Amino acid sequence: MKHKALAVSLMAEQPISKYADGALRGVRLIEGVRFCRVFLGFGAMGRAAFSASLSTEAFLCADGKEAPLTYYVFDLAPDAEALPDYIKKYPQLSAEQYLPLPEAPLVRSFQSDVTDGGFPEKLIGVLKEEAFYHTQILISLGDRSKERRVALQLLSLLQRENMLDRVSTVVREGVSVRGTVELCDGGTLGDMEEMALRRHVAYDVLWSDKELDAAFSGKNGAKEGAKMLGEVVERAKKGFDTLSETKKYSNIFAVLSLFFKLRLLGLTLKKGKGGISEEQYLSLYQGGFPIERAEPKPYAWGVVSYGLDFPESVRTDFARMEHARWNGYMIACGYLPATLTEMRTLPKMGQSEEARRHGNLTTYEGLIAFRKLAAEVKGVSEKQADVICYDFQLMDDLFALLSGSDYCIT
């Protein structure tokens, strides 16, 4: 748990988008721009940070397609330990059996002793050759003195090569080196769990709770609804505690991705009150595709009205990023796409936590094909079968989610 908490702190405090100034046109990467994360050592900390990065960070290319981060792994035993099986197997899938396949993570692994005196120079050579726009190096070697020594060597070389503005180095807690970022004690995880609970209550329960709608539509709706609202929230809290780890962290990483996304707008989340207004946020976020509210609901979260047309806009770009991020999370959890046959013949269109299969593990455009297939299989309208709208919800209703929390947008 400590390693996950530290990985969450890394994604909150040092999202790679923090270094994206000058690399963006709108919220998309300028053509040819690439970002990289480097892992020096790949034990429990490195693997947790790798999964957290896959699960929270996703850029778009200039043409609107997803742009996976590049990952370099340097470890004494990368083949035996560093790379999970899903990274090795994923590119081997047969495209004819599935909806369009999303991009697999770009991972290169090397068997290396990163504590060897000559290693930092070799690493700098690799980074110079690749010319990434920005590289973040996570040093996690299990020995604080070694971490400190490697960090100092790297910083010295980066300064000599005039690369300090293109590389940030991060070390684990308890290793203080001038010029590096030190991970905090993991307190951010508790904050994310609290906000993930709020998201669970809002999206998974309140927005779809038919009992609540029925209570408010009755003669004594307000009184009955207020009582039922309390019951629904309590039920939701208990339900969140019983979620599998996969589903619980799905909520946590969705909320954590806000740190990455808001940086692309020049904003961030911070603890405390104040910050910008919702109107200021929406002026940056909507980008010509304004939010339309449905009928007011009798609880705190508003409900957005979604159709089947999602025009090109900053808002839609964030939905594309959200789906690419979710793909990354599911891949990190060992999921594979459900095949077309599985979606047609198995319950829940092949979705299975036990078998690690999901029909939505596809490109953003593939979700349109999915809703057509789902409408056919389930005998419902395309609007009822649509899942693209879910990728809009977190950013659309961000201020409602943050209300009552300890965070504001600045």
Side-chain angles (χ1 to χ4, degrees), residues 92-140:
Q92 301 172 12
L93 300 180
S94 174
E96 308 85 56
Q97 299 175 17
Y98 303 91
L99 292 175
L101 295 169
E103 293 288 337
L106 301 175
V107 185
R108 294 183 65 189
S109 64
F110 302 87
Q111 186 172 8
S112 301
D113 180 359
V114 303
T115 65
D116 180 80
F119 173 77
E121 191 124 17
K122 293 178 182 178
L123 175 60
I124 298 299
V126 170
L127 298 183
K128 286 176 67 176
E129 185 178 335
E130 291 287 352
F132 292 107
Y133 185 85
H134 193 87
T135 300
Q136 188 178 88
I137 301 174
L138 177 65
I139 305 171
S140 177

Side-chain angles (χ1 to χ4, degrees), residues 99 337-352 357-360 369-380 385 387:
L99 292 175
T339 66
L340 293 170
T341 300
E342 288 170 334
M343 285 194 279
R344 288 185 179 278
T345 59
L346 297 179
K348 301 174 81 172
M349 295 196 68
Q351 178 182 335
S352 169
R357 294 288 186 275
H358 205 297
N360 294 155
F370 173 84
R371 80 183 180 207
K372 292 180 183 297
L373 179 60
E376 175 192 333
V377 170
K378 297 178 180 180
V380 298
V387 293

Side-chain angles (χ1 to χ4, degrees), residues 176-213:
S176 180
V177 182
R178 184 182 295 275
T180 69
V181 178
E182 183 182 345
L183 292 186
C184 77
D185 62 4
T188 309
L189 179 60
D191 301 329
M192 293 305 99
E193 287 178 331
E194 176 61 31
M195 289 173 66
L197 169 61
R198 292 170 57 77
R199 179 180 185 271
H200 171 72
V201 171
Y203 298 141
D204 300 343
V205 181
L206 291 185
W207 283 0
S208 61
D209 199 281
K210 295 179 181 176
E211 297 174 80
L212 203 60
D213 288 341

Side-chain angles (χ1 to χ4, degrees), residues 55-76:
S55 303
T56 59
E57 301 180 312
F59 285 110
L60 292 187
C61 298
D63 61 3
K65 294 180 180 177
E66 60 189 274
L69 280 169
T70 301
Y71 297 94
Y72 280 77
V73 175
F74 296 90
D75 190 75
L76 283 172

Side-chain angles (χ1 to χ4, degrees), residues 246-313:
T246 298
K247 290 185 177 179
K248 188 174 286 189
Y249 269 89
S250 181
N251 281 275
I252 289 172
F253 282 130
V255 171
L256 187 62
S257 73
L258 292 171
F259 289 91
F260 173 86
K261 293 170 183 169
L262 288 171
R263 285 283 186 179
L264 301 178
L265 293 174
L267 305 170
T268 191
L269 289 177
K270 79 166 191 176
K271 281 203 164 185
K273 300 301 178 184
I276 66 172
S277 67
E278 185 170 13
E279 290 70 28
Q280 289 172 304
Y281 165 71
L282 291 177
S283 70
L284 295 171
Y285 163 63
Q286 292 179 124
F289 180 28
I291 291 171
E292 294 183 16
R293 297 284 173 186
E295 286 293 319
K297 293 288 182 178
Y299 35 78
W301 291 275
V303 176
V304 178
S305 177
Y306 298 102
L308 294 179
D309 181 28
F310 303 103
E312 189 169 299
S313 63

